[in-house]
Amino acid sequence: MNLLTVEGIGIRFGGLHAVRDVGFSLKAGEIVSVIGPNGAGKTTLFNIISGVYIPHSGRILLESDDVTGFDPYLLARRGMSRTFQNLQIFQAMTVLENVMTGFHLRESGPVLSDLLALPSSRRRSREAESDARVLLARVGLERAAEREASALSYGALKRLEIARALALNPKLLLLDEPAAGCNAVETEEIDHLIVDVAKEGTAILLVEHDMKMVMRISNHIVVLDHGEKIAEGDPATVSRDPRVIEAYLGTQGQDANHAHG
Amino acid sequence: MKLSAKQSTLLVLILIIALAPFFFPSAFYFRIGSVVFVNAVAVVGMVILTGYAGQISLGHAGFAGIGGYACALAPVYLGLHPALAALLGALISAVLAYLVGRPILRLKGYYLAVATLGFGILVSMVLSNETAITGGPDGIKVPDLGLRAWLVDRGLKISNSQFWYWFSGLALVIGAWLALNLHESATGRALRALHGSEIAARTVGVDVARAKLIAFVISAIYASVAGSLIALQNRMITPDIAGYMHSIEMVTMAVLGGAGSVLGAIFGATILTLLPQVLTVFQQYEQIMLGLVMMLVMIFMRDGLLPSLVARVRGRGE
Ligand SMILES: Nc1ncnc2c1ncn2[C@@H]1O[C@H](COP(=O)(O)OP(=O)(O)OP(=O)(O)O)[C@@H](O)[C@H]1O
Ligand SMILES: [Mg+2]
């Protein structure tokens, strides 16, 4: 059964069709990438799937439930989690606390027990803390745990967001340009991390401008241009598609710059 | 053993409360001290709402009014002991905050500011105009808490102003303890997360509407308790307690000290309570001074006085 089914999704901003009639699906453990030139509508598509925007047309199915227009926190409860292209870090919190918030669903309890610091509340916080440290180690940030998040480099913040998203133990993980701003070594680490997470059964929807990474790890690729799906298929098929070459790969030089910008 | 941030904050607070009386030039300072502590209780509530959750309220004096008038009216009309009356006031404030907060916390920024301002004004109008019950603008008498008399009966010789100094100090320590507990808990992290990025908080599963409501209700209870303490201490209460100037004073105290930190809030409450006592100009032009303080802090020390000073001392100031 499909974990995620996107059917005929469309959204307009004023006169602009940012996304128009896009559909595809995703199974557990699969890595599906969404590619396309700048402004193609990839982030907008992510925002619709994750409940940030409500689409003007189409449906989103999670397993077999229609979740179109659900608030992100309800989608989180159903096993969806994401990172952001334009970093959404909790600035005034430490790196560790940022990841601990990812455990909110599992480790939050009655407000009164939190106010009174009852043993149950403190135990929940301790568990969140040790679980968060494991995840920080997984993305290579264990030594930055106690630092203010705002003191980290861009690449480190990208990995922090991945750790926070993984804390939800998601069935479906949306990653919007996880390797942007990362050097070659960091990019390779993220590459391996994504593959590992998928092996554990999490479905991954990926937006990434690093074509080497996309071609290497994706099971399936969806290509967007001007908000419309112009092609989809496995990496080999997509990279041979003349429309894709024209719309996207023809401008790869520019996008390669973007990926490192 | 190394002290946690929570423990050291509480320790500093307890030491200040315990040691300050040794430096008091006259007994009158017990009275000032208790006013400082009561104001600080309300401001610690603002820290939870504004500092943790990032929401603004310009109407929290309304809840102080409810807490204060509960102590005046519940003993008369319901025959409740003043302490129970304060509890009832806190309950009413919590319920009202819940009902009012549900629709208005959907608003953001200045819409929320205006809506809460409206709520505060509504409460103070009711208190001024329902003369038959509330005594109107002249105020109303409040019965004695009776705790001091009880202590004196048991041989503890303590003056009225000393009693309120220690009692309000205790209330402040408890209020600070609860706020610090919250800070380090899952609920506190959810509040701070929504402050940092509402959208990211939602995607990690925080029900943002509920989280804002929690902060609003808790801070309303703080304001209500502060209002009750003012009423019980002064043995009388007027609608000024619910006035918008009092709301703005609370916000200014929180922002002045650094809205994010409990100790900063207490610092802000202390300065803005002491200044009018020390400088007569401040007394005469209190509203102008408040506005000026607010503007200067926003321009020069956006993080608040205490965090900015700490940063400067550490040589990291801008
Ligand atoms: N909230 C919004 N209001 C108006 N227009 C928007 C909004 N969000 C996105 N757009 C527009 O929709 C189009 C698609 O933007 P989107 O961010 O989805 O592109 P993208 O494929 O993610 O691009 P990039 O590779 O640069 O990240 C753009 O023209 C953008 O300006
Ligand atoms: Mg994008």
Side-chain angles (χ1 to χ4, degrees):
Chain A
M1 190 177 65
N2 289 331
L3 179 65
L4 174 75
T5 312
V6 176
E7 284 177 3
I9 285 298
I11 195 169
R12 291 179 308 276
F13 297 116
L16 175 79
H17 282 269
V19 172
R20 195 202 300 243
D21 197 25
V22 170
F24 61 90
S25 65
L26 190 56
K27 289 187 174 55
E30 257 187 340
I31 301 177
V32 172
S33 292
V34 179
I35 64 170
N38 295 132
K42 306 179 294 292
T43 297
T44 305
L45 181 66
F46 265 33
N47 282 336
I48 294 170
I49 295 172
S50 63
V52 177
Y53 294 157
I54 296 174
H56 295 137
S57 60
R59 312 195 291 165
I60 314 283
L61 303 180
L62 206 52
E63 293 175 319
S64 48
D65 301 330
D66 188 338
V67 296
T68 319
F70 276 35
D71 194 275
Y73 88 89
L74 293 173
L75 295 172
R77 287 184 188 177
R78 287 165 177 261
M80 191 190 296
S81 122
R82 69 170 290 188
T83 66
F84 297 85
Q85 179 180 1
N86 61 339
L87 296 176
Q88 295 287 334
I89 294 290
F90 305 133
Q91 296 279 355
M93 297 166 84
T94 65
V95 169
L96 182 66
E97 286 177 323
N98 263 272
V99 180
M100 285 167 78
T101 57
F103 292 103
H104 178 77
L105 290 174
R106 265 193 285 163
E107 328 224 24
S108 71
V111 178
L112 204 59
S113 73
D114 283 352
L115 271 170
L116 296 171
L118 296 183
S120 64
S121 164
R122 284 190 286 179
R123 199 200 57 238
R124 283 187 276 110
S125 278
R126 269 200 311 276
E127 281 169 10
E129 182 179 334
S130 62
D131 292 350
R133 285 189 193 279
V134 172
L135 283 176
L136 280 175
R138 194 164 183 192
V139 299
L141 287 174
E142 67 273 31
R143 287 170 58 201
E146 322 298 337
R147 295 176 65 187
E148 288 284 313
S150 52
L152 261 54
S153 71
Y154 186 80
L157 290 175
K158 279 274 169 194
R159 283 180 286 148
L160 174 57
E161 276 209 350
I162 296 175
R164 185 178 71 194
L166 285 175
L168 280 89
N169 195 15
K171 286 187 213 163
L172 171 64
L173 175 59
L174 279 58
L175 300 170
D176 198 346
E177 303 200 11
C182 295
N183 62 36
V185 179
E186 290 169 332
T187 302
E188 187 160 331
E189 282 167 8
I190 288 173
D191 179 320
H192 292 320
L193 179 64
I194 294 172
V195 172
D196 284 349
V197 171
K199 276 198 190 122
E200 290 159 16
T202 298
I204 290 173
L205 192 58
L206 174 72
V207 168
E208 183 50 61
H209 279 291
D210 186 323
M211 277 307 123
K212 283 218 309 271
M213 176 165 155
V214 168
M215 293 299 164
R216 188 166 56 230
I217 69 176
S218 307
N219 300 109
H220 192 85
I221 297 177
V222 175
V223 190
L224 293 187
D225 190 23
H226 296 295
E228 292 184 72
K229 183 173 83 177
I230 58 166
E232 74 175 309
D234 60 50
T237 315
V238 162
S239 56
R240 280 196 307 268
D241 191 303
R243 286 188 69 183
V244 177
I245 294 168
E246 186 200 341
Y248 189 79
L249 300 176
T251 61
Q252 198 176 21
Q254 181 197 327
D255 289 310
N257 286 337
H258 175 98
H260 295 286
Chain B
M1 202 185 88
K2 199 173 167 296
L3 291 180
S4 70
K6 175 171 106 184
Q7 289 164 330
S8 50
T9 301
L10 285 175
L11 191 66
V12 168
L13 183 60
I14 290 171
L15 284 177
I16 290 174
I17 294 172
L19 298 179
F22 290 108
F23 302 94
F24 285 170
S26 72
F28 178 61
Y29 280 75
F30 279 104
R31 158 88 190 146
I32 296 177
S34 63
V35 175
V36 167
F37 297 157
V38 170
N39 284 338
V41 168
V43 178
V44 169
M46 301 307 285
V47 167
I48 292 172
L49 181 68
T50 306
Y52 295 2
Q55 309 300 306
I56 184 93
S57 170
L58 296 181
H60 260 50
F63 298 115
I66 290 166
Y69 275 85
C71 290
L73 301 177
V76 176
Y77 290 93
L78 304 174
L80 285 184
H81 187 276
L84 287 179
L87 220 57
L88 178 67
L91 189 68
I92 294 172
S93 291
V95 171
L96 207 60
Y98 181 82
L99 295 175
V100 171
R102 276 175 74 96
I104 68 177
L105 286 167
R106 278 196 228 124
L107 306 171
K108 291 199 163 74
Y110 46 76
Y111 295 105
L112 180 60
V114 171
T116 48
L117 184 66
F119 164 76
I121 290 174
L122 204 70
V123 173
S124 79
M125 297 247 288
V126 169
L127 295 178
S128 298
N129 296 340
E130 293 298 318
T131 317
I133 301 172
T134 65
D138 294 337
I140 188 169
K141 280 176 71 172
V142 176
D144 185 20
L145 180 60
L147 184 56
R148 185 177 85 92
W150 187 85
L151 290 172
V152 171
D153 279 350
R154 269 148 197 78
L156 189 70
K157 286 185 91 161
I158 186 170
S159 76
N160 190 50
S161 55
Q162 280 173 340
F163 169 76
W164 282 107
Y165 178 87
W166 297 113
F167 193 72
S168 313
L170 180 67
L172 177 57
V173 170
I174 293 171
W177 177 69
L178 294 172
L180 291 165
N181 287 342
L182 194 66
H183 189 266
E184 287 165 18
S185 71
T187 303
R189 279 189 295 277
L191 297 181
R192 291 186 288 143
L194 95 87
H195 189 181
S197 164
E198 194 166 321
I199 191 72
R202 283 157 75 196
T203 59
V204 295
V206 175
D207 179 347
V208 162
R210 178 169 175 271
K212 288 179 182 175
L213 206 51
I214 288 172
F216 199 68
V217 168
I218 294 176
S219 61
I221 295 174
Y222 272 84
S224 182
V225 169
S228 295
L229 288 171
I230 293 172
L232 291 169
Q233 180 178 334
N234 294 346
R235 297 290 310 277
M236 121 118 210
I237 187 137
T238 70
D240 284 348
I241 190 177
Y244 72 92
M245 270 312 294
H246 187 207
S247 289
I248 288 172
E249 202 177 79
M250 285 186 201
V251 175
T252 312
M253 285 174 178
V255 170
L256 174 67
S261 92
V262 169
L263 213 52
I266 294 168
F267 188 64
T270 308
I271 291 193
L272 282 189
T273 312
L274 287 184
L275 275 185
Q277 311 283 346
V278 182
L279 299 172
T280 25
V281 284
F282 206 104
Q283 221 159 6
Q284 279 166 359
Y285 301 103
E286 185 171 356
Q287 310 198 355
I288 294 176
M289 288 297 196
L290 270 184
L292 206 61
V293 166
M294 192 80 146
M295 281 169 62
L296 289 175
V297 168
M298 283 296 118
I299 294 169
F300 295 110
M301 292 183 272
R302 195 97 40 98
D303 296 334
L305 203 52
L306 197 58
S308 301
L309 288 179
V310 168
R312 210 155 292 198
V313 168
R314 288 186 186 155
R316 287 196 285 117
E318 291 145 77

